[in-house]
Amino acid sequence: MGFLAGKRALIIGIASNRSIAWGIAEAMKREGAELAFTYQNEKLRPRVEKFAAECGAQATLPCDLGNDDEISALFDTLGGSWDGLDILIHSAAFAPRDELTGDFVEVTTREGSKTAHDISSYSLTALGKAARPMMRGHSGAILSLTYMGSVRAMPSYNVMGLAKASLEANIRYMAYALGPEGIRVNGISAGPIRTLAAAGIADFRKMLDHVEQNAPLRKNVSIEEVGNAAAFLCSDLASGITGEITYVDAGFNIIGMSGYN
Ligand code: 0WD
């Protein structure tokens, strides 16, 4: 029996079979969880429905994270078939593409900054608010995905780094607020992985090469490795962990100097 047997997980952020959310879905399915997915818009719907069929997900529901009505409808509908929710995965982020390249000070706009923070950070609070009644009494676990650009200045990551810093603070504040109800909130800071979202970041290939050459494990991480860590953090095996950011990055974040190998 898998270590997530009897758990119900809602997974937000599947856009392709390279999505980190897909790696998480596969690991959670393997460990015995029942799954439900969301899709951002009608364009993505058929693709997400295909993934849902592949892994026997119970429901595939619409949810644009920028829309409070859709967030609230999502939990109303889900509540019709599930009497509770154990796991909520937030694996989505967005910033205007032309702000993910070039000189941070020159390219960042007020509008782009608002959008990046709204979709990439605030949406986690909005989901927590809406999911809370269904998660209460369920040893619930909420997990989001972040990147080291939150704590270090990186080329091209720009305004998304600010949004991820906000997201990580959000994780701590949500852990503090929801902890008394037994709901844990954590983050995984993943190393770079080639996905659709990553394609929007300038010179992404160079980042992958740099990590492979310099990370202690001399490799990039896979969605399977992130999925396994996510399954653990959302299971009862991690019942003592909340408000933490766990790095799944082949150790890259611990090095102080690169190019010495
Ligand atoms: O190197 C990477 N790929 C890393 C990603 C390293 C570290 C962290 N992350 C984070 C991302 O910032 C994001 O928070 O992991 C999360 C998942 O990203 P991913 O798996 O790399 O990206 P992808 O497969 O593109 O899925 C993210 C999806 C979107 O895809 P596109 O490419 O169409 O933007 O997030 C969804 C969307 O489907 N998304 C939204 N969902 C609902 N409402 C919204 C929205 N408004 N905006 C984006």
mmCIF file of all heavy atoms in Angstrom, residues 12-16 18-21 38-40 44 63-67 90-94 119-120 144-148 157 160 164 167 188-198 201 204 223, ligand 1:
data_model
loop_
_atom_site.group_PDB
_atom_site.id
_atom_site.type_symbol
_atom_site.label_atom_id
_atom_site.label_comp_id
_atom_site.label_asym_id
_atom_site.label_seq_id
_atom_site.Cartn_x
_atom_site.Cartn_y
_atom_site.Cartn_z
ATOM 1 N N ILE A 12 -3.010 21.563 -9.336
ATOM 2 C CA ILE A 12 -3.187 22.718 -10.221
ATOM 3 C C ILE A 12 -1.860 23.012 -10.911
ATOM 4 O O ILE A 12 -0.834 23.172 -10.242
ATOM 5 C CB ILE A 12 -3.634 23.948 -9.389
ATOM 6 C CG1 ILE A 12 -5.011 23.671 -8.780
ATOM 7 C CG2 ILE A 12 -3.635 25.222 -10.240
ATOM 8 C CD1 ILE A 12 -5.486 24.720 -7.813
ATOM 9 N N GLY A 13 -1.869 23.055 -12.261
ATOM 10 C CA GLY A 13 -0.653 23.463 -12.977
ATOM 11 C C GLY A 13 -0.130 22.452 -13.976
ATOM 12 O O GLY A 13 1.019 22.534 -14.395
ATOM 13 N N ILE A 14 -1.004 21.493 -14.389
ATOM 14 C CA ILE A 14 -0.557 20.587 -15.453
ATOM 15 C C ILE A 14 -0.808 21.266 -16.801
ATOM 16 O O ILE A 14 -1.939 21.637 -17.110
ATOM 17 C CB ILE A 14 -1.306 19.235 -15.400
ATOM 18 C CG1 ILE A 14 -0.979 18.505 -14.091
ATOM 19 C CG2 ILE A 14 -0.920 18.365 -16.610
ATOM 20 C CD1 ILE A 14 -1.677 17.175 -13.919
ATOM 21 N N ALA A 15 0.268 21.456 -17.562
ATOM 22 C CA ALA A 15 0.130 22.061 -18.891
ATOM 23 C C ALA A 15 0.675 21.135 -19.975
ATOM 24 O O ALA A 15 0.316 21.260 -21.133
ATOM 25 C CB ALA A 15 0.836 23.411 -18.936
ATOM 26 N N SER A 16 1.556 20.217 -19.587
ATOM 27 C CA SER A 16 2.108 19.258 -20.553
ATOM 28 C C SER A 16 2.679 18.074 -19.770
ATOM 29 O O SER A 16 2.695 18.099 -18.528
ATOM 30 C CB SER A 16 3.230 19.900 -21.372
ATOM 31 O OG SER A 16 4.429 19.951 -20.616
ATOM 32 N N ARG A 18 5.616 17.489 -19.468
ATOM 33 C CA ARG A 18 6.875 17.928 -18.861
ATOM 34 C C ARG A 18 6.636 18.785 -17.634
ATOM 35 O O ARG A 18 7.577 19.187 -16.951
ATOM 36 C CB ARG A 18 7.674 18.752 -19.853
ATOM 37 C CG ARG A 18 8.132 17.937 -21.028
ATOM 38 C CD ARG A 18 8.881 18.823 -21.997
ATOM 39 N NE ARG A 18 9.609 18.007 -22.940
ATOM 40 C CZ ARG A 18 10.712 18.395 -23.558
ATOM 41 N NH1 ARG A 18 11.215 19.583 -23.333
ATOM 42 N NH2 ARG A 18 11.311 17.597 -24.409
ATOM 43 N N SER A 19 5.377 19.115 -17.358
ATOM 44 C CA SER A 19 5.063 19.973 -16.205
ATOM 45 C C SER A 19 5.498 19.313 -14.899
ATOM 46 O O SER A 19 5.322 18.099 -14.718
ATOM 47 C CB SER A 19 3.547 20.211 -16.111
ATOM 48 O OG SER A 19 3.080 20.985 -17.179
ATOM 49 N N ILE A 20 6.006 20.123 -13.980
ATOM 50 C CA ILE A 20 6.352 19.610 -12.656
ATOM 51 C C ILE A 20 5.101 18.999 -12.010
ATOM 52 O O ILE A 20 5.169 17.949 -11.360
ATOM 53 C CB ILE A 20 6.948 20.742 -11.794
ATOM 54 C CG1 ILE A 20 8.310 21.162 -12.368
ATOM 55 C CG2 ILE A 20 7.065 20.318 -10.340
ATOM 56 C CD1 ILE A 20 8.960 22.357 -11.696
ATOM 57 N N ALA A 21 3.946 19.634 -12.242
ATOM 58 C CA ALA A 21 2.691 19.119 -11.661
ATOM 59 C C ALA A 21 2.397 17.697 -12.139
ATOM 60 O O ALA A 21 1.792 16.900 -11.412
ATOM 61 C CB ALA A 21 1.530 20.048 -12.009
ATOM 62 N N THR A 38 -6.940 20.537 -12.487
ATOM 63 C CA THR A 38 -7.595 21.710 -13.069
ATOM 64 C C THR A 38 -6.881 22.084 -14.368
ATOM 65 O O THR A 38 -5.736 21.712 -14.588
ATOM 66 C CB THR A 38 -7.551 22.941 -12.139
ATOM 67 O OG1 THR A 38 -6.200 23.385 -12.000
ATOM 68 C CG2 THR A 38 -8.131 22.627 -10.764
ATOM 69 N N TYR A 39 -7.595 22.828 -15.197
ATOM 70 C CA TYR A 39 -6.988 23.396 -16.409
ATOM 71 C C TYR A 39 -7.240 24.895 -16.403
ATOM 72 O O TYR A 39 -8.273 25.369 -15.923
ATOM 73 C CB TYR A 39 -7.545 22.724 -17.674
ATOM 74 C CG TYR A 39 -9.046 22.748 -17.794
ATOM 75 C CD1 TYR A 39 -9.702 23.806 -18.422
ATOM 76 C CD2 TYR A 39 -9.826 21.719 -17.253
ATOM 77 C CE1 TYR A 39 -11.081 23.828 -18.514
ATOM 78 C CE2 TYR A 39 -11.198 21.738 -17.353
ATOM 79 C CZ TYR A 39 -11.822 22.805 -17.985
ATOM 80 O OH TYR A 39 -13.188 22.838 -18.062
ATOM 81 N N GLN A 40 -6.273 25.643 -16.962
ATOM 82 C CA GLN A 40 -6.333 27.098 -16.888
ATOM 83 C C GLN A 40 -7.378 27.691 -17.818
ATOM 84 O O GLN A 40 -8.024 28.678 -17.488
ATOM 85 C CB GLN A 40 -4.949 27.681 -17.226
ATOM 86 C CG GLN A 40 -4.894 29.191 -17.140
ATOM 87 C CD GLN A 40 -3.595 29.751 -17.692
ATOM 88 O OE1 GLN A 40 -2.661 29.005 -17.989
ATOM 89 N NE2 GLN A 40 -3.527 31.059 -17.828
ATOM 90 N N LEU A 44 -6.320 24.491 -22.954
ATOM 91 C CA LEU A 44 -5.577 23.417 -22.260
ATOM 92 C C LEU A 44 -6.481 22.248 -21.854
ATOM 93 O O LEU A 44 -5.996 21.167 -21.540
ATOM 94 C CB LEU A 44 -4.887 23.976 -21.006
ATOM 95 C CG LEU A 44 -3.601 24.784 -21.236
ATOM 96 C CD1 LEU A 44 -3.126 25.410 -19.940
ATOM 97 C CD2 LEU A 44 -2.500 23.873 -21.798
ATOM 98 N N CYS A 63 -9.995 26.272 -13.760
ATOM 99 C CA CYS A 63 -9.581 27.240 -12.750
ATOM 100 C C CYS A 63 -8.481 28.153 -13.286
ATOM 101 O O CYS A 63 -7.335 27.733 -13.431
ATOM 102 C CB CYS A 63 -9.100 26.543 -11.475
ATOM 103 S SG CYS A 63 -8.645 27.746 -10.204
ATOM 104 N N ASP A 64 -8.875 29.397 -13.559
ATOM 105 C CA ASP A 64 -7.883 30.440 -13.846
ATOM 106 C C ASP A 64 -7.561 31.091 -12.508
ATOM 107 O O ASP A 64 -8.450 31.628 -11.841
ATOM 108 C CB ASP A 64 -8.486 31.455 -14.832
ATOM 109 C CG ASP A 64 -7.488 32.554 -15.160
ATOM 110 O OD1 ASP A 64 -6.574 32.821 -14.346
ATOM 111 O OD2 ASP A 64 -7.623 33.157 -16.243
ATOM 112 N N LEU A 65 -6.317 31.037 -12.119
ATOM 113 C CA LEU A 65 -5.924 31.520 -10.787
ATOM 114 C C LEU A 65 -6.080 33.028 -10.625
ATOM 115 O O LEU A 65 -5.989 33.541 -9.512
ATOM 116 C CB LEU A 65 -4.474 31.112 -10.492
ATOM 117 C CG LEU A 65 -4.261 29.615 -10.286
ATOM 118 C CD1 LEU A 65 -2.776 29.289 -10.196
ATOM 119 C CD2 LEU A 65 -4.979 29.127 -9.023
ATOM 120 N N GLY A 66 -6.330 33.730 -11.729
ATOM 121 C CA GLY A 66 -6.555 35.170 -11.634
ATOM 122 C C GLY A 66 -8.017 35.502 -11.407
ATOM 123 O O GLY A 66 -8.385 36.683 -11.365
ATOM 124 N N ASN A 67 -8.872 34.506 -11.241
ATOM 125 C CA ASN A 67 -10.315 34.726 -11.204
ATOM 126 C C ASN A 67 -10.930 34.116 -9.931
ATOM 127 O O ASN A 67 -11.054 32.893 -9.809
ATOM 128 C CB ASN A 67 -10.899 34.084 -12.482
ATOM 129 C CG ASN A 67 -12.376 34.332 -12.630
ATOM 130 O OD1 ASN A 67 -13.110 34.401 -11.636
ATOM 131 N ND2 ASN A 67 -12.812 34.460 -13.861
ATOM 132 N N HIS A 90 -0.125 23.647 -5.767
ATOM 133 C CA HIS A 90 -0.138 24.908 -6.528
ATOM 134 C C HIS A 90 1.165 24.944 -7.318
ATOM 135 O O HIS A 90 2.230 25.196 -6.755
ATOM 136 C CB HIS A 90 -0.220 26.049 -5.506
ATOM 137 C CG HIS A 90 -0.072 27.436 -6.065
ATOM 138 N ND1 HIS A 90 1.137 28.096 -6.110
ATOM 139 C CD2 HIS A 90 -0.980 28.304 -6.565
ATOM 140 C CE1 HIS A 90 0.962 29.306 -6.607
ATOM 141 N NE2 HIS A 90 -0.313 29.464 -6.893
ATOM 142 N N SER A 91 1.068 24.616 -8.608
ATOM 143 C CA SER A 91 2.286 24.507 -9.425
ATOM 144 C C SER A 91 2.129 25.386 -10.653
ATOM 145 O O SER A 91 2.198 24.904 -11.788
ATOM 146 C CB SER A 91 2.518 23.037 -9.804
ATOM 147 O OG SER A 91 3.731 22.896 -10.498
ATOM 148 N N ALA A 92 1.885 26.672 -10.440
ATOM 149 C CA ALA A 92 1.650 27.592 -11.552
ATOM 150 C C ALA A 92 2.243 28.950 -11.219
ATOM 151 O O ALA A 92 2.313 29.330 -10.052
ATOM 152 C CB ALA A 92 0.148 27.724 -11.800
ATOM 153 N N ALA A 93 2.655 29.639 -12.255
ATOM 154 C CA ALA A 93 3.216 30.977 -12.088
ATOM 155 C C ALA A 93 3.120 31.682 -13.424
ATOM 156 O O ALA A 93 3.029 31.029 -14.465
ATOM 157 C CB ALA A 93 4.679 30.879 -11.653
ATOM 158 N N PHE A 94 3.105 33.011 -13.388
ATOM 159 C CA PHE A 94 3.081 33.750 -14.653
ATOM 160 C C PHE A 94 3.652 35.152 -14.478
ATOM 161 O O PHE A 94 3.376 35.815 -13.491
ATOM 162 C CB PHE A 94 1.640 33.866 -15.194
ATOM 163 C CG PHE A 94 1.583 34.642 -16.476
ATOM 164 C CD1 PHE A 94 1.944 34.040 -17.675
ATOM 165 C CD2 PHE A 94 1.223 35.998 -16.475
ATOM 166 C CE1 PHE A 94 1.932 34.771 -18.863
ATOM 167 C CE2 PHE A 94 1.211 36.727 -17.660
ATOM 168 C CZ PHE A 94 1.567 36.116 -18.853
ATOM 169 N N ILE A 119 -0.705 36.257 -9.863
ATOM 170 C CA ILE A 119 -0.848 34.866 -10.308
ATOM 171 C C ILE A 119 0.134 33.936 -9.587
ATOM 172 O O ILE A 119 -0.196 32.797 -9.267
ATOM 173 C CB ILE A 119 -0.628 34.745 -11.841
ATOM 174 C CG1 ILE A 119 -1.593 35.658 -12.600
ATOM 175 C CG2 ILE A 119 -0.759 33.291 -12.298
ATOM 176 C CD1 ILE A 119 -3.071 35.381 -12.348
ATOM 177 N N SER A 120 1.341 34.424 -9.298
ATOM 178 C CA SER A 120 2.381 33.521 -8.794
ATOM 179 C C SER A 120 2.422 33.438 -7.272
ATOM 180 O O SER A 120 2.966 32.486 -6.725
ATOM 181 C CB SER A 120 3.750 33.970 -9.316
ATOM 182 O OG SER A 120 3.673 34.278 -10.685
ATOM 183 N N SER A 144 3.506 24.433 -2.706
ATOM 184 C CA SER A 144 3.713 25.259 -3.892
ATOM 185 C C SER A 144 5.142 25.106 -4.397
ATOM 186 O O SER A 144 6.008 24.587 -3.699
ATOM 187 C CB SER A 144 3.409 26.724 -3.569
ATOM 188 O OG SER A 144 3.508 27.506 -4.747
ATOM 189 N N LEU A 145 5.370 25.580 -5.624
ATOM 190 C CA LEU A 145 6.684 25.438 -6.265
ATOM 191 C C LEU A 145 7.349 26.793 -6.397
ATOM 192 O O LEU A 145 6.748 27.745 -6.882
ATOM 193 C CB LEU A 145 6.492 24.836 -7.663
ATOM 194 C CG LEU A 145 6.437 23.316 -7.784
ATOM 195 C CD1 LEU A 145 7.757 22.685 -7.321
ATOM 196 C CD2 LEU A 145 5.291 22.712 -7.006
ATOM 197 N N THR A 146 8.613 26.857 -5.972
ATOM 198 C CA THR A 146 9.336 28.110 -6.057
ATOM 199 C C THR A 146 10.704 27.885 -6.676
ATOM 200 O O THR A 146 11.032 26.762 -7.075
ATOM 201 C CB THR A 146 9.412 28.758 -4.654
ATOM 202 O OG1 THR A 146 10.071 30.031 -4.767
ATOM 203 C CG2 THR A 146 10.150 27.909 -3.630
ATOM 204 N N TYR A 147 11.477 28.967 -6.795
ATOM 205 C CA TYR A 147 12.806 28.868 -7.417
ATOM 206 C C TYR A 147 13.776 29.791 -6.680
ATOM 207 O O TYR A 147 13.374 30.820 -6.129
ATOM 208 C CB TYR A 147 12.707 29.251 -8.911
ATOM 209 C CG TYR A 147 14.042 29.205 -9.593
ATOM 210 C CD1 TYR A 147 14.764 28.016 -9.666
ATOM 211 C CD2 TYR A 147 14.601 30.356 -10.159
ATOM 212 C CE1 TYR A 147 16.014 27.976 -10.277
ATOM 213 C CE2 TYR A 147 15.845 30.315 -10.764
ATOM 214 C CZ TYR A 147 16.552 29.125 -10.811
ATOM 215 O OH TYR A 147 17.791 29.088 -11.398
ATOM 216 N N MET A 148 15.036 29.402 -6.701
ATOM 217 C CA MET A 148 16.088 30.112 -5.974
ATOM 218 C C MET A 148 16.229 31.595 -6.343
ATOM 219 O O MET A 148 16.830 32.372 -5.589
ATOM 220 C CB MET A 148 17.416 29.386 -6.232
ATOM 221 C CG MET A 148 18.515 29.749 -5.301
ATOM 222 S SD MET A 148 20.017 28.804 -5.669
ATOM 223 C CE MET A 148 20.369 29.313 -7.311
ATOM 224 N N TYR A 157 15.558 36.144 -14.629
ATOM 225 C CA TYR A 157 14.403 35.732 -13.816
ATOM 226 C C TYR A 157 13.600 36.951 -13.351
ATOM 227 O O TYR A 157 12.391 36.891 -13.172
ATOM 228 C CB TYR A 157 14.875 34.876 -12.632
ATOM 229 C CG TYR A 157 13.803 33.938 -12.118
ATOM 230 C CD1 TYR A 157 13.249 32.961 -12.939
ATOM 231 C CD2 TYR A 157 13.345 34.034 -10.810
ATOM 232 C CE1 TYR A 157 12.268 32.095 -12.467
ATOM 233 C CE2 TYR A 157 12.363 33.170 -10.332
ATOM 234 C CZ TYR A 157 11.833 32.209 -11.166
ATOM 235 O OH TYR A 157 10.868 31.364 -10.705
ATOM 236 N N MET A 160 9.957 37.746 -11.678
ATOM 237 C CA MET A 160 9.496 36.467 -11.127
ATOM 238 C C MET A 160 10.232 36.153 -9.818
ATOM 239 O O MET A 160 9.675 35.515 -8.925
ATOM 240 C CB MET A 160 9.685 35.346 -12.149
ATOM 241 C CG MET A 160 9.049 34.039 -11.752
ATOM 242 S SD MET A 160 7.279 34.163 -11.436
ATOM 243 C CE MET A 160 6.672 33.834 -13.067
ATOM 244 N N LYS A 164 8.414 35.179 -6.414
ATOM 245 C CA LYS A 164 8.731 33.941 -5.670
ATOM 246 C C LYS A 164 9.133 34.269 -4.233
ATOM 247 O O LYS A 164 8.866 33.483 -3.311
ATOM 248 C CB LYS A 164 9.831 33.156 -6.373
ATOM 249 C CG LYS A 164 9.416 32.560 -7.716
ATOM 250 C CD LYS A 164 8.270 31.562 -7.604
ATOM 251 C CE LYS A 164 8.083 30.761 -8.873
ATOM 252 N NZ LYS A 164 6.854 29.946 -8.865
ATOM 253 N N LEU A 167 5.943 34.617 -2.632
ATOM 254 C CA LEU A 167 5.337 33.290 -2.469
ATOM 255 C C LEU A 167 5.921 32.568 -1.248
ATOM 256 O O LEU A 167 5.188 31.944 -0.471
ATOM 257 C CB LEU A 167 5.579 32.457 -3.735
ATOM 258 C CG LEU A 167 5.115 31.002 -3.684
ATOM 259 C CD1 LEU A 167 3.588 30.918 -3.673
ATOM 260 C CD2 LEU A 167 5.670 30.201 -4.870
ATOM 261 N N ILE A 188 8.527 23.649 -2.431
ATOM 262 C CA ILE A 188 9.717 23.001 -2.981
ATOM 263 C C ILE A 188 10.386 24.017 -3.897
ATOM 264 O O ILE A 188 9.733 24.595 -4.778
ATOM 265 C CB ILE A 188 9.360 21.732 -3.783
ATOM 266 C CG1 ILE A 188 8.984 20.602 -2.825
ATOM 267 C CG2 ILE A 188 10.536 21.299 -4.680
ATOM 268 C CD1 ILE A 188 8.625 19.301 -3.517
ATOM 269 N N SER A 189 11.672 24.258 -3.663
ATOM 270 C CA SER A 189 12.437 25.101 -4.561
ATOM 271 C C SER A 189 13.179 24.169 -5.513
ATOM 272 O O SER A 189 14.165 23.525 -5.135
ATOM 273 C CB SER A 189 13.412 25.985 -3.776
ATOM 274 O OG SER A 189 14.050 26.887 -4.662
ATOM 275 N N ALA A 190 12.638 24.069 -6.730
ATOM 276 C CA ALA A 190 13.182 23.115 -7.702
ATOM 277 C C ALA A 190 14.320 23.741 -8.497
ATOM 278 O O ALA A 190 14.321 24.952 -8.750
ATOM 279 C CB ALA A 190 12.072 22.670 -8.655
ATOM 280 N N GLY A 191 15.263 22.910 -8.908
ATOM 281 C CA GLY A 191 16.277 23.366 -9.853
ATOM 282 C C GLY A 191 15.628 23.546 -11.211
ATOM 283 O O GLY A 191 14.481 23.158 -11.412
ATOM 284 N N PRO A 192 16.354 24.157 -12.176
ATOM 285 C CA PRO A 192 15.755 24.390 -13.494
ATOM 286 C C PRO A 192 15.405 23.092 -14.226
ATOM 287 O O PRO A 192 16.175 22.144 -14.222
ATOM 288 C CB PRO A 192 16.838 25.164 -14.258
ATOM 289 C CG PRO A 192 18.099 24.975 -13.503
ATOM 290 C CD PRO A 192 17.721 24.674 -12.080
ATOM 291 N N ILE A 193 14.199 23.073 -14.810
ATOM 292 C CA ILE A 193 13.710 21.899 -15.560
ATOM 293 C C ILE A 193 13.080 22.429 -16.845
ATOM 294 O O ILE A 193 12.315 23.412 -16.787
ATOM 295 C CB ILE A 193 12.638 21.134 -14.744
ATOM 296 C CG1 ILE A 193 13.220 20.643 -13.409
ATOM 297 C CG2 ILE A 193 12.080 19.961 -15.547
ATOM 298 C CD1 ILE A 193 12.202 19.971 -12.494
ATOM 299 N N ARG A 194 13.361 21.797 -17.971
ATOM 300 C CA ARG A 194 12.808 22.295 -19.239
ATOM 301 C C ARG A 194 11.308 22.008 -19.336
ATOM 302 O O ARG A 194 10.896 20.878 -19.559
ATOM 303 C CB ARG A 194 13.548 21.657 -20.421
ATOM 304 C CG ARG A 194 13.154 22.219 -21.765
ATOM 305 C CD ARG A 194 14.087 21.792 -22.861
ATOM 306 N NE ARG A 194 15.340 22.528 -22.855
ATOM 307 C CZ ARG A 194 15.488 23.807 -23.192
ATOM 308 N NH1 ARG A 194 14.442 24.516 -23.573
ATOM 309 N NH2 ARG A 194 16.663 24.395 -23.168
ATOM 310 N N THR A 195 10.492 23.031 -19.123
ATOM 311 C CA THR A 195 9.025 22.914 -19.221
ATOM 312 C C THR A 195 8.530 24.077 -20.081
ATOM 313 O O THR A 195 9.336 24.921 -20.494
ATOM 314 C CB THR A 195 8.372 23.039 -17.829
ATOM 315 O OG1 THR A 195 8.686 24.337 -17.318
ATOM 316 C CG2 THR A 195 8.865 21.984 -16.851
ATOM 317 N N LEU A 196 7.202 24.186 -20.287
ATOM 318 C CA LEU A 196 6.668 25.302 -21.079
ATOM 319 C C LEU A 196 6.974 26.636 -20.407
ATOM 320 O O LEU A 196 7.375 27.599 -21.050
ATOM 321 C CB LEU A 196 5.147 25.149 -21.249
ATOM 322 C CG LEU A 196 4.668 23.985 -22.101
ATOM 323 C CD1 LEU A 196 3.145 23.907 -22.092
ATOM 324 C CD2 LEU A 196 5.169 24.123 -23.535
ATOM 325 N N ALA A 197 6.800 26.693 -19.075
ATOM 326 C CA ALA A 197 7.046 27.944 -18.352
ATOM 327 C C ALA A 197 8.517 28.346 -18.483
ATOM 328 O O ALA A 197 8.831 29.526 -18.672
ATOM 329 C CB ALA A 197 6.663 27.787 -16.882
ATOM 330 N N ALA A 198 9.405 27.365 -18.417
ATOM 331 C CA ALA A 198 10.835 27.659 -18.485
ATOM 332 C C ALA A 198 11.221 28.205 -19.853
ATOM 333 O O ALA A 198 12.165 28.997 -19.979
ATOM 334 C CB ALA A 198 11.630 26.397 -18.176
ATOM 335 N N ILE A 201 11.896 31.867 -20.252
ATOM 336 C CA ILE A 201 13.037 32.517 -19.601
ATOM 337 C C ILE A 201 14.233 32.528 -20.550
ATOM 338 O O ILE A 201 14.626 31.478 -21.074
ATOM 339 C CB ILE A 201 13.384 31.783 -18.279
ATOM 340 C CG1 ILE A 201 12.189 31.877 -17.328
ATOM 341 C CG2 ILE A 201 14.635 32.360 -17.636
ATOM 342 C CD1 ILE A 201 12.251 30.895 -16.182
ATOM 343 N N PHE A 204 17.702 29.839 -21.033
ATOM 344 C CA PHE A 204 17.424 28.754 -20.091
ATOM 345 C C PHE A 204 18.410 27.590 -20.269
ATOM 346 O O PHE A 204 18.833 26.970 -19.299
ATOM 347 C CB PHE A 204 15.972 28.282 -20.255
ATOM 348 C CG PHE A 204 15.526 27.403 -19.137
ATOM 349 C CD1 PHE A 204 15.249 27.943 -17.894
ATOM 350 C CD2 PHE A 204 15.405 26.033 -19.306
ATOM 351 C CE1 PHE A 204 14.861 27.139 -16.836
ATOM 352 C CE2 PHE A 204 15.022 25.219 -18.258
ATOM 353 C CZ PHE A 204 14.744 25.779 -17.018
ATOM 354 N N ILE A 223 11.367 15.913 -13.220
ATOM 355 C CA ILE A 223 10.047 16.091 -12.604
ATOM 356 C C ILE A 223 9.723 14.902 -11.691
ATOM 357 O O ILE A 223 8.954 15.039 -10.747
ATOM 358 C CB ILE A 223 8.916 16.343 -13.645
ATOM 359 C CG1 ILE A 223 8.759 15.189 -14.620
ATOM 360 C CG2 ILE A 223 9.140 17.649 -14.370
ATOM 361 C CD1 ILE A 223 7.487 15.308 -15.483
HETATM 362 O O1 0WD B 1 12.666 25.240 -14.132
HETATM 363 C C1 0WD B 1 11.475 25.157 -13.859
HETATM 364 N N1 0WD B 1 10.607 24.703 -14.749
HETATM 365 C C2 0WD B 1 11.009 25.549 -12.493
HETATM 366 C C3 0WD B 1 9.681 25.813 -12.263
HETATM 367 C C4 0WD B 1 12.029 25.669 -11.434
HETATM 368 C C5 0WD B 1 11.489 26.042 -10.153
HETATM 369 C C6 0WD B 1 10.169 26.317 -9.976
HETATM 370 N N2 0WD B 1 9.281 26.205 -11.028
HETATM 371 C C7 0WD B 1 7.895 26.529 -10.763
HETATM 372 C C8 0WD B 1 7.227 27.510 -11.698
HETATM 373 O O2 0WD B 1 7.579 28.846 -11.402
HETATM 374 C C9 0WD B 1 5.766 27.225 -11.399
HETATM 375 O O3 0WD B 1 5.391 27.869 -10.198
HETATM 376 O O4 0WD B 1 7.117 25.368 -10.878
HETATM 377 C C10 0WD B 1 5.770 25.712 -11.180
HETATM 378 C C11 0WD B 1 5.314 24.880 -12.356
HETATM 379 O O5 0WD B 1 6.049 25.257 -13.487
HETATM 380 P P1 0WD B 1 6.431 24.284 -14.692
HETATM 381 O O6 0WD B 1 5.978 22.917 -14.438
HETATM 382 O O7 0WD B 1 7.844 24.579 -15.013
HETATM 383 O O8 0WD B 1 5.624 24.953 -15.887
HETATM 384 P P2 0WD B 1 4.435 24.522 -16.891
HETATM 385 O O9 0WD B 1 4.522 23.113 -17.294
HETATM 386 O O10 0WD B 1 4.452 25.553 -17.978
HETATM 387 O O11 0WD B 1 3.151 24.715 -16.004
HETATM 388 C C12 0WD B 1 2.852 25.914 -15.399
HETATM 389 C C13 0WD B 1 1.441 26.264 -15.751
HETATM 390 C C14 0WD B 1 1.125 27.092 -16.965
HETATM 391 O O12 0WD B 1 1.603 26.718 -18.098
HETATM 392 P P3 0WD B 1 1.898 27.827 -19.274
HETATM 393 O O13 0WD B 1 3.202 27.343 -19.783
HETATM 394 O O14 0WD B 1 0.758 27.663 -20.199
HETATM 395 O O15 0WD B 1 1.993 29.204 -18.672
HETATM 396 O O16 0WD B 1 0.909 27.172 -14.850
HETATM 397 C C15 0WD B 1 -0.377 27.427 -15.320
HETATM 398 C C16 0WD B 1 -0.375 27.198 -16.798
HETATM 399 O O17 0WD B 1 -1.158 26.124 -17.137
HETATM 400 N N3 0WD B 1 -0.817 28.788 -15.136
HETATM 401 C C17 0WD B 1 -2.016 29.049 -14.625
HETATM 402 N N4 0WD B 1 -2.981 28.234 -14.137
HETATM 403 C C18 0WD B 1 -4.109 28.794 -13.737
HETATM 404 N N5 0WD B 1 -4.324 30.124 -13.790
HETATM 405 C C19 0WD B 1 -2.159 30.437 -14.704
HETATM 406 C C20 0WD B 1 -3.382 30.971 -14.264
HETATM 407 N N6 0WD B 1 -3.653 32.284 -14.327
HETATM 408 N N7 0WD B 1 -1.037 30.975 -15.251
HETATM 409 C C21 0WD B 1 -0.213 29.940 -15.506
#
